[in-house]
Structure formats: C-alpha cells, structure tokens
Amino acid sequence: MKIIGFTIARNITKYHYPVKEAILSILSICDEFIVNVGKSEDNTLDVIKSIDSPKIKIVEKEWNDSLGKEMLSFETNFALNLCKGDWTFYIQADEVVHENDLSRLKKYMFRYINDKRVDGFRFRWLHFYGSFHRYRVDAGWFQKQARIIRNNGMIISGGDAWGFIRKDNKPVNVIKTSCCIYHYGWVHTPKAMYLRKKNAQNIGDRKSVV
C-alpha cells in the first residue's frame, strides 16, 4: 500500500499559514508528499524546502488567478494528478492531524485497500476560533469532510477546494472515522485576519479566509 500526501502553498508567511506544521503532521505515514508551490511574494518556497525529508517533492508554478475561487481546486487537482499511489492524503495549509490518529488512519486505509466501493475517509473538524482554547462546531462551520481519497482518477477537488467530488457526479462514498482535523484558520491577530480575508476576496471567495 502506498500513501501520497499533497497540498498547495502560496504566500504562506504573508498570510500566516502553518503549512510546514501541516505537512509534518502527516508526513510520517506518507511514502511521498507533493507540494504545489505557487509563485509567492514571501519565503514560501524556502519554508517548504526547509522540511528535511526526501519524501517532499516540490513543483513550482504560477497559479492562474483569473480562475477566481476555482483556482484553489484547479491547483489542488494539479498536485493530485502528480500523486502515484493507492491513497492520497490531502491537507490544507492551516490544518493539522494529531499524531495519535495516524496509525488508526493507516489501518483504515489498509483494511479497505481492495474494497473499491470505498472512495475515502471522512474526518471530524475542530475549528479553533479566536484562540487556541476555543473552537466552533455550530451550523455553517463544516464538520465532516474527506481528506483521504482513493487515487483512482475518478475523485477530484471541487469548488474552492473545500472537499472532493466524483467525475461521474455520484456521491463520494466515504467511511466515517472519529479522527479529527484541527483547523487553525481563525486563530490570528486582527491584522492577520484582515489580510487573509482580503486575499480570499481577491480570489473570489467571499465566505471564508481558508
């Protein structure tokens, strides 16, 4: 069984994305990790290069801002298409998986490796909000999304890369896990949050800063 991690990164220092921590949180169970690094105004590329692991594969490219919020799924799918393995593990630049969940997730993947009916695995979400001691689980804050998907060419990132869809428009068949994604997109200073919101609006996403 081969597990390939992947993510996208651009201007991560400017907008306070803990992408290095995100990658490192799942790197130990990945056989390879693809990072689509967009042309940045800061040291994003250096941050990714500072991850001392032969598993990291960096692809540098200029992202197409004219796509609006669809750019995020387009660039996510670009990275996904470079993954060569049984399962792909997607993590966004402000998400972290707890180390205690990694062995459990690997067991899930091994158990269902030959069950083609299973497209992926769903996580629970903890959205930290305002501080590291408070999180939101109320309506409007998504709680259940897949981040591990079968690498069969049928499942792609959709919309603003919030989740995955099937090319044939059938529902994505996922196994629910009790494992969590810890989301840190709303734990910043007011100035940082303002910059992130402006950036989200500039690419057409007026609902979030993620």
Side-chain angles (χ1 to χ4, degrees):
M1 182 177 73
K2 192 172 184 180
I3 305 168
I4 310 298
F6 69 106
T7 193
I8 63 176
R10 185 177 75 168
N11 292 328
I12 57 98
T13 299
K14 180 179 180 180
Y15 297 117
H16 300 265
Y17 284 95
V19 68
K20 184 174 181 177
E21 290 78 7
I23 293 171
L24 289 173
S25 75
I26 67 170
L27 187 61
S28 64
I29 65 168
C30 296
D31 296 281
E32 188 174 77
F33 201 105
I34 307 294
V35 188
N36 173 359
V37 179
K39 185 177 180 181
S40 301
E41 302 166 359
D42 58 16
N43 65 337
T44 294
L45 182 60
D46 292 332
V47 171
I48 302 301
K49 286 182 175 179
S50 73
I51 302 174
D52 186 19
S53 172
K55 296 179 180 180
I56 301 294
K57 307 298 179 184
I58 299 173
V59 179
E60 300 176 59
K61 67 188 297 287
E62 184 136 12
W63 295 2
N64 186 356
D65 291 283
S66 68
L67 295 173
K69 68 178 183 179
E70 301 291 332
M71 175 187 69
L72 298 175
S73 59
F74 181 88
E75 298 300 342
T76 298
N77 285 323
F78 180 88
L80 173 59
N81 289 335
L82 298 176
C83 297
K84 307 298 180 184
D86 301 295
W87 299 104
T88 55
F89 198 151
Y90 177 52
I91 193 159
Q92 294 191 348
D94 53 8
E95 300 172 350
V96 171
V97 176
H98 197 286
E99 61 184 4
N100 290 344
D101 284 335
L102 296 180
S103 61
R104 296 167 61 198
L105 291 168
K106 195 168 184 178
K107 288 178 181 178
Y108 272 114
M109 288 183 270
F110 184 79
R111 178 179 178 182
Y112 291 98
I113 184 66
N114 294 317
D115 188 345
K116 305 303 182 183
R117 297 171 298 177
V118 176
D119 292 324
F121 303 94
R122 177 182 290 172
F123 290 74
R124 295 175 56 235
W125 242 256
L126 289 179
H127 299 275
F128 288 94
Y129 186 81
S131 79
F132 299 108
H133 307 288
R134 179 174 59 184
Y135 60 88
R136 297 188 66 160
V137 294
D138 50 291
W141 292 70
F142 57 85
Q143 302 301 323
K144 300 174 182 178
Q145 295 292 340
R147 281 294 182 259
I148 298 174
I149 59 169
R150 187 179 297 277
N151 192 25
N152 58 8
M154 285 298 298
I155 307 165
I156 59 174
S157 176
D160 60 356
W162 64 273
F164 292 93
I165 59 176
R166 286 182 59 97
K167 291 180 179 179
D168 57 10
N169 295 318
K170 294 180 180 179
V172 178
N173 186 29
V174 295
I175 298 293
K176 297 178 182 179
T177 75
S178 59
C179 300
C180 284
I181 292 284
Y182 298 88
H183 177 217
Y184 293 93
W186 293 84
V187 188
H188 298 289
T189 64
K191 180 180 179 180
M193 292 306 303
Y194 172 79
L195 290 173
R196 292 185 69 173
K197 188 172 183 64
K198 290 292 290 184
N199 179 57
Q201 291 174 343
N202 287 339
I203 61 174
D205 183 358
R206 301 186 180 275
K207 295 181 180 179
S208 72
V209 295
V210 181

